[in-house]
Amino acid sequence: MVKDNVFFGESGLTSTSANHIANLAKEFVKSAEAKLSSFNFLTEEVALIGCDKQTKLAQGMDASVLTSMRQLLDQVVEAKALIAWLREAIKTKDKWIVNLEAIDDNEYERLTGLKLVVKEKPVKERAFVNDPTSFLSVEERADNLIATQLSTLYSEALADDGCLANALKQLHDAELNPIVVNNADKLITESKPSVSPDAVQSAFSAFNDTLADMNKKCAMGNQQITEYRQQTQRTESDENSEFEKDNAETVNAFYKAKKQYILAEKWRIAHLKIIIPNDLKPIYEKVSNLGKH
């Protein structure tokens, strides 16, 4: 663009006026070239054979026309140069306007110094991702661990094949069949409860009550963890929304400014004045005057 600024100055022609002058210059060239093609330096005469009387067919131009011919040739050259100058200046303005439509962000930054800078999304470590109980106090975490372990151990022990369940089953079987006779070995085995069956049953009921309490505590802990995770996710979602909103406002402001810059540049370029070089001013004045008649 800097190189092409030679076409423009504070005063001069608009594109419309320049195009009009170029068309006038084109007509001038056409007329001048017609005159040049009519130049003739031969006088032609014709006579009948055997007759001395000659008839003039054409009168050749005298030497005085040579000066005007040189002047006319120079004017044709200058007029064509003026046409080329004006057409190139108009073409340059049109090219600049077209280029503005395709300007990218990097070029816009180079021209204005304004850069699109968006915030980077902050990376926050979410503790619950690696440790779901991280938000709990020391006591709460300890209680949660104990409840979880008790629930697991009691569930296994009281299951059908668990150690406590098997012991209770053996006690009940012995109550029903306290004496077992082994005829093959000639042995009689008698089984007697070492602890009161009622006491054992009471203890097992207490185990089941404890298991129920631990399961309830684990469920409450899990609910607490779930609620914390959901709240954290909502907070993160809100933060992301706010972050995206801030960036959207930044991006919108950037492209709004870019659009305004392009519109302002289009207006400025459209109103650039095309200057006439000193060497072309004589032919410009001559052509301009032709348009006034």
Side-chain angles (χ1 to χ4, degrees):
M1 282 190 180
V2 174
K3 172 177 67 67
D4 294 330
N5 275 335
V6 295
F7 292 113
F8 311 109
E10 293 183 1
S11 61
L13 303 175
T14 64
S15 293
T16 301
S17 296
N19 188 60
H20 176 65
I21 295 298
N23 288 334
L24 289 176
K26 185 177 178 181
E27 291 300 317
F28 171 80
V29 169
K30 183 178 178 181
S31 176
E33 288 179 339
K35 289 181 181 179
L36 288 170
S37 65
S38 68
F39 280 0
N40 175 33
F41 300 106
L42 296 175
T43 297
E44 296 182 0
E45 296 177 342
V46 65
L48 294 173
I49 298 175
C51 179
D52 293 335
K53 186 178 180 181
Q54 293 180 321
T55 301
K56 186 180 290 186
L57 295 179
Q59 176 63 48
M61 297 177 178
D62 58 27
S64 63
V65 80
L66 294 175
T67 300
S68 62
M69 182 178 68
R70 173 63 181 271
Q71 183 182 23
L72 191 57
L73 281 169
D74 289 344
Q75 288 178 344
V76 169
V77 170
E78 292 170 357
K80 287 188 174 182
L82 177 63
I83 293 170
W85 175 268
L86 297 174
R87 297 291 192 213
E88 188 62 27
I90 295 171
K91 180 181 177 182
T92 296
K93 291 177 70 173
D94 292 340
K95 178 182 68 176
W96 285 355
I97 291 176
V98 170
N99 288 345
L100 276 171
E101 295 289 351
I103 189 173
D104 61 17
D105 294 349
N106 290 332
E107 181 66 9
Y108 174 66
E109 178 187 351
R110 186 187 70 79
L111 292 171
T112 64
L114 300 177
K115 185 176 183 179
L116 176 58
V117 180
V118 295
K119 298 178 182 178
E120 292 187 5
K121 184 178 179 181
V123 178
K124 291 187 178 181
E125 182 178 352
R126 303 300 182 185
F128 72 85
V129 173
N130 297 320
D131 182 3
T133 61
S134 59
F135 69 98
L136 299 174
S137 66
V138 174
E139 291 77 10
E140 288 173 330
R141 295 185 72 173
D143 286 346
N144 183 271
L145 288 172
I146 292 171
T148 301
Q149 294 298 325
L150 279 175
S151 177
T152 301
L153 183 61
Y154 277 32
S155 294
E156 292 175 351
L158 295 173
D160 289 343
D161 293 330
C163 58
L164 297 181
N166 285 333
L168 183 59
K169 181 177 181 300
Q170 290 172 359
L171 179 61
H172 288 161
D173 289 345
E175 284 184 296
L176 295 174
N177 300 293
I179 296 175
V180 176
V181 178
N182 187 335
N183 293 319
D185 295 331
K186 297 183 178 183
L187 294 175
I188 297 175
T189 302
E190 183 178 0
S191 297
K192 298 178 182 179
S194 59
V195 179
S196 167
D198 291 339
V200 173
Q201 189 63 53
S202 178
F204 269 71
S205 295
F207 285 145
N208 280 307
D209 291 342
T210 300
L211 176 59
D213 290 341
M214 292 303 103
N215 285 340
K216 183 177 180 181
K217 182 176 287 189
C218 286
M220 292 176 62
N222 289 335
Q223 179 64 27
Q224 190 177 6
I225 292 170
T226 299
E227 291 175 355
Y228 176 77
R229 177 184 285 108
Q230 291 173 344
Q231 179 58 45
T232 303
Q233 290 171 341
R234 284 193 295 269
T235 300
E236 184 175 11
S237 178
D238 292 342
E239 290 173 354
N240 288 341
S241 297
E242 189 65 27
F243 168 79
E244 291 170 0
K245 179 182 177 182
D246 289 344
N247 269 350
E249 291 176 352
T250 300
V251 170
N252 290 338
F254 175 84
Y255 285 110
K256 182 179 180 181
K258 180 180 175 182
K259 182 178 181 180
Q260 292 174 339
Y261 168 81
I262 290 174
L263 290 175
E265 278 297 288
K266 281 184 175 182
W267 188 92
R268 183 186 68 82
I269 292 170
H271 289 79
L272 286 174
K273 302 300 184 181
I274 301 172
I275 64 174
I276 304 297
N278 290 332
D279 291 345
L280 296 178
K281 283 184 178 179
I283 191 65
Y284 164 73
E285 295 295 340
K286 184 175 182 64
V287 170
S288 297
N289 289 328
L290 292 176
K292 297 176 182 178
H293 301 296

